[in-house]
């Protein structure tokens, strides 16, 4: 009887030990699952956690630059943005050129070569010639060398002083001093007409200058048109021997402000550009830049304090900020 009780007791203890073992194993497995779940959740949290941008990243598009707020000369926002990227040496050269030309119609930089192309508002290099189109460009190399080019025929060098010695035929308006040219006929060595130039100073006549070849085909024309006594348009158009337009420059004014500017060059399409200027209370607040297909490629906006330009923003075609300039 005693042995039976001992056997039953031992069996109970074994069952208890087995139950405890099973409980401990299951508890250990469950604990590992909890730890693994916590680890996975933590990794997910760390993966999806948004890291705030560093101060450098936040400010990398903001630069201090000369906004030319006090300049008396016209300079488009797009030119200001380009100048902000230049070396101090080339900026000094451009400032000198701006002073001499008393304004830029537009400026474009070749990012690959560092070369700068500018259409000047007035010739910076004077040749002592009679005015035709009065258009001059400046090309500046990366190392600061400047070369000038005139658009269209500009006459012989120092023709004003030498006009009496030139065998070409000239007609002048002698009612005003100094006399103004009215007609100029250019001959070849055989005394055949090569070109003919005509000037017109009548305010009611839109064509101010016209040049034709020996066959009477138009080579270039300069027109001025006034609409509603306030809107004013200047057009310079140049043709090849087939009568196709090779180059044109159009400037539209609203009052004294340039509203539209278009430059077209059939041989250098990378320079083609249209600039629309938007004004508010007499201040230009925005420029929209278009390519030759009249597709907007970017825009520039400016803010003012007490009438002085303080900030300028370069935006892409979608309106996303590319660059932020603040006045120095």
């Amino acid at each position: 009887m005693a042995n039976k009780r001992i056997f039953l007791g031992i069996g109970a203890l074994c069952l208890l030990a087995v139950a405890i073992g099973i409980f401990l194993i299951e508890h250990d497995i469950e604990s590992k699952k909890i730890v693994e779940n916590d680890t996975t959740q933590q990794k997910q949290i760390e993966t999806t956690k948004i890291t705030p941008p560093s101060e450098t990243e936040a400010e990398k598009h903001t630069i201090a630059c000369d906004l030319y707020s006090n300049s008396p000369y016209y300079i488009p926002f797009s030119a200001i943005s380009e100048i902000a990227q230049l070396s101090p040496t080339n900026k000094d050269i451009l400032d000198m050129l701006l002073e001499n030309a008393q304004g830029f119609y537009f400026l474009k930089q070749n990012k690959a070569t560092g070369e700068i192309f500018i259409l000047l508002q007035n010739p910076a290099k004077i040749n002592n010639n009679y005015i035709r189109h009065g258009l001059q460009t400046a090309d500046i190399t990366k190392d600061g060398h400047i070369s000038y080019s005139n658009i269209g025929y500009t006459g012989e060098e120092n023709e004003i002083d030498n006009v009496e010695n030139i065998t070409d035929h000239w007609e002048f308006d002698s009612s005003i001093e100094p006399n103004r040219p009215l007609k100029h006929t250019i001959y070849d060595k055989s005394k055949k007409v090569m070109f003919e130039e005509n000037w017109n100073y009548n305010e009611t006549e839109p064509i101010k200058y016209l040049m034709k070849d020996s066959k009477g085909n138009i080579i270039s024309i300069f027109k001025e048109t006034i609409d509603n006594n306030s809107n004013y348009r200047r057009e310079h158009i140049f043709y090849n021997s087939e009568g196709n337009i090779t180059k044109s420059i159009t400037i539209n004014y609203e009052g004294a402000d340039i509203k539209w500017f278009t430059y077209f060059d059939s041989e250098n399409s990378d320079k083609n550009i249209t600039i629309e200027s938007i004004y508010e209370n007499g201040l230009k607040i925005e420029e929209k830049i278009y390519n030759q297909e009249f597709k907007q490629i970017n825009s520039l906006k400016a803010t003012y304090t007490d009438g002085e330009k303080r900030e300028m923003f370069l935006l892409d075609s979608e309106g996303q900020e590319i660059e932020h300039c603040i006045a120095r």
Side-chain angles (χ1 to χ4, degrees):
M1 187 70 177
N3 290 336
K4 184 178 180 180
R5 288 176 180 174
I6 292 171
F7 177 77
L8 290 173
I10 292 171
L13 288 172
C14 290
L15 290 173
L16 180 61
V18 170
I20 291 172
I22 293 172
F23 172 77
L24 290 174
I25 291 171
E26 290 179 348
H27 178 73
D28 183 59
I29 293 172
E30 191 64 30
S31 297
K32 287 182 179 179
K33 288 182 179 179
I34 292 172
V35 171
E36 289 175 356
N37 288 339
D38 288 344
T39 301
T40 301
Q41 290 175 359
Q42 182 63 28
K43 287 182 178 179
Q44 290 175 343
I45 292 172
E46 290 175 355
T47 301
T48 58
K49 183 179 179 181
I50 299 174
T51 304
S54 66
E55 184 177 347
T56 301
E57 290 175 336
E59 297 180 354
K60 65 182 179 181
H61 296 306
T62 301
I63 58 175
C65 57
D66 186 352
L67 297 181
Y68 291 87
S69 295
N70 299 316
S71 175
Y73 307 121
Y74 177 81
I75 179 168
F77 288 175
S78 53
I80 294 173
S81 177
E82 294 279 9
I83 293 171
Q85 310 297 328
L86 301 179
S87 67
T89 300
N90 271 359
K91 182 186 181 304
D92 290 342
I93 292 172
L94 282 169
D95 288 346
M96 175 273 294
L97 196 55
L98 177 65
E99 179 76 20
N100 292 341
Q102 299 184 355
F104 297 159
Y105 282 125
F106 89 105
L107 179 154
K108 205 161 191 178
Q109 181 183 186
N110 186 320
K111 304 296 184 183
T113 64
E115 295 178 343
I116 303 163
F117 173 81
I118 310 169
L119 179 60
L120 309 175
Q121 281 208 341
N122 299 284
K125 187 178 180 181
I126 307 300
N127 295 320
N128 195 31
N129 291 4
Y130 292 111
I131 297 296
R132 276 85 172 173
H133 292 275
L135 295 170
Q136 192 173 82
T137 64
D139 288 277
I140 305 176
T141 62
K142 190 175 182 179
D143 59 4
H145 175 73
I146 306 176
S147 59
Y148 299 95
S149 298
N150 295 300
I151 300 179
Y153 180 69
T154 57
E156 294 188 24
E157 188 175 356
N158 292 320
E159 71 181 357
I160 293 177
D161 293 337
N162 298 323
V163 67
E164 294 182 359
N165 300 321
I166 298 174
T167 56
D168 302 336
H169 178 72
W170 286 88
E171 295 178 19
F172 289 92
D173 175 10
S174 58
S175 66
I176 191 171
E177 288 290 342
N179 294 346
R180 300 180 298 189
L182 293 174
K183 185 176 180 178
H184 177 211
T185 307
I186 306 163
Y187 302 94
D188 62 16
K189 293 180 179 180
S190 302
K191 298 299 180 179
K192 292 182 179 180
V193 174
M194 294 176 60
F195 305 104
E196 182 181 287
E197 299 180 278
N198 292 273
W199 288 260
N200 192 318
Y201 307 99
N202 190 329
E203 292 183 359
T204 63
E205 294 291 335
I207 298 176
K208 301 305 180 186
Y209 172 79
L210 180 68
M211 187 176 190
K212 297 181 180 180
D213 65 14
S214 59
K215 297 179 180 180
N217 299 318
I218 296 175
I219 296 173
S220 71
I221 186 170
F222 167 41
K223 298 171 64 176
E224 289 183 337
T225 308
I226 299 176
D227 298 323
N228 303 322
N229 296 322
S230 60
N231 296 337
Y232 167 62
R233 182 171 67 254
R234 295 167 60 93
E235 296 175 86
H236 302 267
I237 308 172
F238 304 86
Y239 301 86
N240 61 17
S241 57
E242 285 76 38
N244 299 317
I245 295 175
T246 58
K247 192 172 293 184
S248 68
I249 295 99
T250 305
I251 308 109
N252 287 72
Y253 292 82
E254 286 189 356
D257 300 321
I258 294 178
K259 173 65 177 176
W260 290 94
F261 169 82
T262 299
Y263 179 88
F264 169 79
D265 186 339
S266 63
E267 296 180 355
N268 297 282
S269 60
D270 59 307
K271 293 185 174 71
N272 294 345
I273 189 171
T274 292
I275 302 174
E276 177 188 10
S277 297
I278 299 169
Y279 298 84
E280 186 176 278
N281 299 322
L283 298 173
K284 184 159 75 168
I285 60 170
E286 184 176 3
E287 262 184 17
K288 294 181 179 180
I289 312 299
Y290 304 89
N291 61 17
Q292 65 180 14
E293 285 81 30
F294 205 68
K295 179 180 179 181
Q296 185 175 337
I297 52 178
N298 56 41
S299 63
L300 299 102
K301 296 183 178 182
T303 62
Y304 294 78
T305 302
D306 297 327
E308 186 168 317
K309 205 181 299 104
R310 302 303 305 168
E311 293 180 296
M312 196 171 71
F313 301 86
L314 173 62
L315 311 173
D316 64 18
S317 60
E318 303 298 325
Q320 299 299 311
E321 183 180 319
I322 301 172
E323 179 182 285
H324 175 207
C325 289
I326 56 176
R328 286 177 180 168

